[in-house]
Amino acid sequence: MKVHWPILFLVLAGATARAEWQAAFSLTDGSRIVGQPVAKALPLQADGVGAMEIPWDRIRAIQISDDHRAASVQLLNRDQVQGRITGNALSLETLFGIREVPVSLIRQVHFRRAGGRDVLWDVLPIAPRDLDARPAAPAKVDEGELTLDGWQVRSRRTFARPVTFECTATLQKVVANDAALSIRFVPVDEPRDAVPARAVVVMVGHRGNGRQFVTVSRNDAPPAILYEEIGRLNVGEPYAIRVTWTDDKIEVGLNDSTFVTRAVTAWYERFHIDLAGGQYGDTWRVADCVVRNP
Amino acid sequence: MTLSLLLAMSLPVTVFLQDGSRIVGNTRIAQLPLRIGSSLVTNLPLQHVRTVTLTDDGAGQLVELGHGDPLRGRVGVSTFPLSTSLGELELPWSTVEELHVDAPTGEIQWLTAAGMPGFQLAQGGELVLTGGRAWTQQRFQAPLVVECEVLLANRVNNGTGWLDIALVADSARRMTTDRPSGVRLVYGARTKEGVQDGVVLRHLHTAQDSTRRKGEAPFLLAPGVWHRLRFEVTGEGLRVLLNGRRYELGGVQIPTIPVSVELSSDQADSRWRVRNFAVR
């Protein structure tokens, strides 16, 4: 068990209003139920510790073992507690009423800030540039978590300004000196099987010259550099990315920093959001993708 | 407005709610009332519906019918009953963003020559072709539409391969190379512009290689991805929609007798998977 006790006590003491958070329960039959737990805390019989109750709003994720006997609870500070969920079912307040979700049906639970809409992704039939250079495996979409290694995904739905897109991106593997993740706002009439000719592109990455950057560009025009600094992105470190596009500016949040440009504009009435990563042989894992309308 | 229920039938559906919930279950709804315009209300048989999607402006729904035609309107129900692993649910329709009807529209029976390798019917009705050939037991009368999803599981390095979907008139012709009408997905073809992937529409001895049109991005038959294919044989000609791109061949005489639909691929090294195959 990997628990830092002082941190855990702080976590247990620091519960805040539950309404700010919601949970997504992934079930064994493929369903995914979003809602708020009715109880204030998760009852857990923790290994070597005994009975404990962990406030829901301090939990990042729960993974249930295949035999449904063990639960691994990841806290917001990324500490982990192992144990067994007490009771046979968890009560959840959903859009269709309060429901009892049997523990035997739960595969995993993820938590996030309330108010966002999940993004459903389609893998685009656009292969990596060099098919022979790497296995021909497309981007993986698993429970909303994406693995991008040269392939691209597109949101099924379209969006309009003002819009905020949020995700957590982790650079998992670097092969060349460059690595980049692109978030593209693509007008609806662009074809699905070619790299879009028209798009507003936010790019986060690092270059062979040893500099990390955030840029915004439109089509093939030279990009506006929002941020550039010596240093490379850290492999394995999750980066919280937030892009807000309004009528007059594009705001990019990278962890706790925010960068703004008014230099790039486009007047797409509606657009998809594309994600592209791994053009340099790098691999990205992107999770917690949410769209909010500010 | 009430929902029509047909107790004998239970359709598998997946419902996506606006909060990101995705609920898998079965519904006993037989018909979905759809208001088109201000007064016209039609009851759509749910088994002939592929998807129902909330429009981007939230004012109504876009219904994609089984044969691919879109229909815009407003679904006139207040709740959607669903039998799920959590029990019987009544989902408020106002929370539904998307509805997928998982049932295929018509069961296809496949025939293949005895002892012929290279064709497998996998679990869930998925077809796997590795140099084999199979055709539908059912015969269809043109005009018709063939729809399916195609996945090229592996590309042969520096090689070429193809998958054919062709109309065949009688069993005697199935072992010949002559197919009256068809579409071929090909990768690694040697063309004047170099090695390319493409779509080839064929009618008797007329062929149109629609690999690339001027000014268009190169077509790439990316492996490992499901490509959505729609092949139309009408009096106006042959038309293929692949991932939303359109390819056409005019001047075609459509078969006047019922035809089978044949699937074939060229070599065992290329592995093709086909799912959600339907002929309408």
Side-chain angles (χ1 to χ4, degrees):
Chain A
M1 186 172 63
K2 297 188 295 183
V3 174
H4 304 292
W5 285 107
I7 296 173
L8 180 59
F9 287 136
L10 279 176
V11 164
L12 298 182
T16 56
R18 284 187 304 127
E20 296 173 9
W21 294 87
Q22 59 185 192
F25 284 63
S26 298
L27 307 187
T28 52
D29 69 346
S31 294
R32 183 170 184 266
I33 312 293
V34 174
Q36 290 177 340
V38 173
K40 290 181 178 174
L42 171 71
L44 192 77
Q45 190 71 28
D47 296 346
V49 178
M52 60 192 300
E53 294 207 331
I54 306 176
W56 289 106
D57 62 346
R58 292 298 169 181
I59 299 173
R60 179 184 299 274
I62 304 170
Q63 187 73 40
I64 309 283
S65 64
D66 290 342
D67 61 4
H68 297 280
R69 290 182 180 169
S72 174
V73 182
Q74 188 184 51
L75 305 177
L76 284 182
N77 59 8
R78 297 194 181 273
D79 284 347
Q80 282 198 344
V81 186
Q82 313 275 355
R84 184 173 53 81
I85 294 175
T86 313
N88 294 324
L90 297 171
S91 203
L92 195 64
E93 189 175 350
T94 71
L95 279 180
F96 43 94
I98 293 177
R99 293 284 155 184
E100 296 288 317
V101 182
V103 174
S104 60
L105 285 179
I106 301 172
R107 286 199 304 117
Q108 55 187 26
V109 187
H110 285 277
F111 293 79
R112 69 169 189 213
R113 197 157 65 88
R117 287 175 74 185
D118 281 2
V119 185
L120 302 177
W121 301 101
D122 283 332
V123 179
L124 293 181
I126 306 172
R129 284 178 183 170
D130 183 359
L131 279 173
D132 298 330
R134 62 182 71 94
K140 295 188 188 74
V141 182
D142 183 23
E143 291 297 335
E145 192 168 297
L146 308 166
T147 303
L148 300 170
D149 54 359
W151 297 74
Q152 299 170 34
V153 295
R154 175 165 295 177
S155 64
R156 282 190 207 163
R157 294 196 70 81
T158 60
F159 307 96
R161 289 187 312 274
V163 68
T164 296
F165 172 75
E166 297 173 358
C167 68
T168 305
T170 307
L171 178 59
Q172 287 192 303
K173 189 182 78 176
V174 180
V175 174
N177 288 326
D178 298 76
L181 175 73
S182 295
I183 300 163
R184 299 185 182 129
F185 298 93
V186 180
V188 291
D189 49 352
E190 284 291 311
R192 295 180 74 244
D193 61 351
V195 175
R198 294 183 302 145
V200 169
V201 182
V202 176
M203 193 177 274
V204 176
H206 63 238
R207 296 193 189 90
N209 62 8
R211 286 176 171 270
Q212 53 185 281
F213 63 88
V214 175
T215 62
V216 180
S217 60
R218 180 186 172 191
N219 304 345
D220 292 327
I225 298 172
L226 274 65
Y227 158 74
E228 189 173 72
E229 192 173 298
I230 292 175
R232 299 161 71 86
L233 297 178
N234 296 322
V235 175
E237 181 179 328
Y239 289 88
I241 299 175
R242 186 185 64 258
V243 181
T244 298
W245 187 15
T246 63
D247 279 350
D248 62 340
K249 66 182 178 186
I250 294 174
E251 197 175 283
V252 182
L254 183 64
N255 290 341
D256 296 329
S257 305
T258 302
F259 313 98
V260 181
T261 181
R262 297 176 194 274
V264 180
T265 56
W267 300 104
Y268 312 144
E269 274 198 25
R270 297 205 70 85
F271 46 82
H272 293 277
I273 296 175
D274 281 16
L275 295 180
Q279 295 176 50
Y280 306 103
D282 42 333
T283 303
W284 291 81
R285 194 179 71 226
V286 183
D288 307 327
C289 297
V290 167
V291 163
R292 300 177 194 277
N293 291 105
Chain B
M1 188 170 296
T2 58
L3 294 170
S4 303
L5 298 181
L6 186 63
L7 294 177
M9 189 174 63
S10 180
L11 281 175
V13 297
T14 305
V15 183
F16 298 82
L17 304 186
Q18 290 177 356
D19 67 351
S21 294
R22 176 185 63 230
I23 304 167
V24 177
N26 288 278
T27 186
R28 290 181 301 136
I29 283 183
Q31 294 179 324
L32 202 59
L34 185 74
R35 181 178 293 277
I36 303 168
S38 59
S39 57
L40 178 63
V41 176
T42 182
N43 286 318
L44 294 173
L46 198 60
Q47 60 176 334
H48 293 152
V49 169
R50 176 175 288 166
T51 60
V52 181
T53 307
L54 184 69
T55 54
D56 287 328
D57 60 7
Q61 279 82 24
L62 175 67
V63 179
E64 187 186 3
L65 301 176
H67 53 64
D69 284 346
L71 201 55
R72 285 178 191 276
R74 193 171 184 84
V75 173
V77 298
S78 54
T79 59
F80 189 82
L82 199 61
S83 177
T84 72
S85 58
L86 298 181
E88 298 294 327
L89 302 181
E90 289 282 335
L91 301 176
W93 185 256
S94 59
T95 66
V96 174
E97 187 166 282
E98 211 164 310
L99 169 73
H100 291 192
V101 180
D102 300 326
T105 52
E107 192 73 24
I108 299 287
Q109 301 294 326
W110 291 96
L111 300 174
T112 188
M116 179 183 281
F119 175 81
Q120 286 178 290
L121 191 56
Q123 204 171 13
E126 188 177 302
L127 312 167
V128 181
L129 286 107
T130 48
R133 172 170 290 164
W135 54 90
T136 61
Q137 183 181 42
Q138 294 95 329
R139 292 182 175 204
F140 307 93
Q141 182 72 56
L144 57 81
V145 176
V146 179
E147 285 186 315
C148 61
E149 290 176 281
V150 176
L151 182 146
L152 172 57
N154 65 313
R155 289 175 69 110
V156 177
N157 281 343
N158 300 320
T160 184
W162 50 256
L163 174 80
D164 254 358
I165 300 175
L167 306 185
V168 287
D170 58 59
S171 58
R173 305 186 75 164
R174 288 190 190 116
M175 298 313 293
T176 72
T177 55
D178 193 12
R179 298 288 175 272
S181 299
V183 56
R184 172 172 290 188
L185 301 184
V186 59
Y187 72 86
R190 297 191 185 282
T191 68
K192 283 185 291 186
E193 290 81 25
V195 177
Q196 289 193 341
D197 299 352
V199 174
V200 181
L201 285 167
R202 293 183 300 134
H203 177 65
L204 294 177
H205 301 295
T206 310
Q208 176 163 321
D209 184 348
S210 307
T211 300
R212 189 176 182 182
R213 286 183 283 256
K214 202 172 179 180
E216 195 175 63
F219 171 79
L220 181 64
L221 195 61
V225 185
W226 288 104
H227 300 270
R228 196 161 170 179
L229 179 83
R230 179 180 166 90
F231 177 39
E232 300 175 6
V233 181
T234 69
E236 297 170 359
L238 307 181
R239 178 190 295 163
V240 163
L241 287 167
L242 183 69
N243 298 319
R245 284 199 198 201
R246 178 178 295 205
Y247 305 91
E248 289 178 332
L249 177 65
V252 169
Q253 288 183 323
I254 62 173
T256 55
I257 59 173
V259 290
S260 298
V261 180
E262 183 190 75
L263 289 178
S264 59
S265 71
D266 66 332
Q267 55 166 312
D269 292 345
S270 298
R271 185 180 178 89
W272 301 82
R273 291 163 59 190
V274 178
R275 70 179 184 189
N276 296 330
F277 186 94
V279 182
R280 302 179 180 96

